[in-house]
Amino acid sequence: MRHLRFENLTEEQLKRLAKILTGNLKGGEVVILSGNLGAGKTTFVKGMIRAIGLDEKMVKSPTFTLMNVYPGLKTIYHLDLYRLQDTDFLSLDVEDILEDEDGIMVVEWGDLFDGFWPEDSIKVKIEIADESHRNVEILIPEEVNFLAEKIERYRKELQNT
């Protein structure tokens, strides 16, 4: 497992990191987002949406709908499991979505159901550094290790935006 850490990212840099990550995904991946309320999980998804050619303004946290689907260059399935107490989200046909080799599943609060997700899931932890900056740790499993190298190539560019 590779660990990448980015510190003191602005909102725009956070979105750019998400766009870089998503732009290098092939499809079939699961991205688990964790962090406190207000840390920037939905903001991260907005950056992911940019990568598939859609307007980030369409992103709404699916806290009450549980899932939003964004079809673009790739399809992003955006789940928010914050309000769930158990595996109710299985009623959303999550297992079928996991088999979509062209789609990307991004799950806010997916860490609440850590044992459910595939072992090769990419984990993104977002922490509040201060009111306008975030720290991000990305855990990249060996199965998708190529992502670490691609993201590292953009580190300087990202820090200078």
Side-chain angles (χ1 to χ4, degrees), residues 4-101:
L4 301 179
R5 185 158 177 86
F6 297 85
E7 296 191 349
N8 294 313
L9 298 180
T10 64
E11 180 176 323
E12 188 57 37
Q13 288 171 322
L14 181 63
K15 290 177 188 176
R16 179 81 179 123
L17 177 59
K19 183 178 179 183
I20 291 166
L21 171 73
T22 307
N24 286 290
L25 296 178
K26 296 175 180 172
E29 295 90 357
V30 176
V31 179
I32 306 297
L33 302 179
S34 64
N36 292 333
L37 282 171
K41 295 178 294 295
T42 302
T43 299
F44 195 88
V45 174
K46 288 179 179 184
M48 295 180 78
I49 294 304
R50 286 181 182 177
I52 63 166
L54 298 176
D55 186 342
E56 69 179 60
K57 292 177 185 165
M58 69 188 311
V59 175
K60 305 284 185 249
S61 181
T63 301
F64 296 100
T65 58
L66 300 182
M67 180 171 66
N68 292 328
V69 179
Y70 303 107
L73 299 172
K74 296 174 185 129
T75 299
I76 290 182
Y77 301 93
H78 179 198
L79 285 78
D80 185 330
L81 306 183
Y82 178 69
R83 296 178 58 240
L84 298 184
Q85 299 298 318
D86 54 32
T87 54
D88 287 343
F89 65 92
L90 291 174
S91 66
L92 299 171
D93 297 321
V94 169
E95 291 164 328
D96 290 339
I97 296 168
L98 287 171
E99 294 176 13
D100 181 354
E101 293 182 10

